[in-house]
Amino acid sequence: MSERTPYTRASVSIDEDGTRIDLAFYTPDLSVMALGVGRERPFLNLSSREAQVMISTTGGGPVTEQDVILARQIADAAARYLADCERLRTDQAATPVLPGLDEVAA
């Protein structure tokens, strides 16, 4: 199988609806940290050498019910991502790619 190069992609679009920043991490070189600021609020930080995303409470203030709902959604999505990665890694390890055919499968 051909080796893929890790990368981070960022794009910015500006139009009549406002500004949108899209970030995509396609790298295993990603740092994921959960941090706290004393007793005030938590932070979730995802970063690579090229970009960083930080998630915290609404307006940087005290934790709201919506913040708790969002944290649950993030945890649920992370659990699904983990399950998919484990399943696909097992499937891919069990299905060897024949030389010369990896370009067809990609």
Side-chain angles (χ1 to χ4, degrees):
M1 185 189 299
S2 61
E3 193 66 27
R4 297 188 184 252
T5 304
Y7 65 97
T8 298
R9 181 183 59 78
S11 66
V12 178
S13 60
I14 302 171
D15 59 26
E16 63 274 357
D17 294 328
T19 303
R20 178 180 172 91
I21 301 171
D22 292 312
L23 214 52
F25 295 107
Y26 296 98
T27 177
D29 301 320
L30 193 62
S31 171
V32 179
M33 295 186 297
L35 309 166
V37 177
R39 297 177 166 268
E40 294 181 31
R41 64 186 185 273
F43 289 90
L44 178 61
N45 184 341
L46 292 86
S47 60
S48 69
R49 288 181 304 128
E50 302 86 4
Q52 173 181 332
V53 174
M54 187 170 292
I55 301 168
S56 190
T57 57
T58 303
V63 177
T64 66
E65 184 60 28
Q66 190 59 40
D67 296 325
V68 173
I69 290 168
L70 176 60
R72 285 190 189 117
Q73 291 171 338
I74 292 169
D76 290 346
R80 287 191 310 273
Y81 179 73
L82 172 60
D84 285 346
C85 284
E86 291 173 336
R87 176 184 53 80
L88 290 168
R89 180 69 179 144
T90 299
D91 292 351
Q92 291 163 357
T95 308
V97 176
L98 299 175
L101 295 180
D102 59 332
E103 292 81 19
V104 175

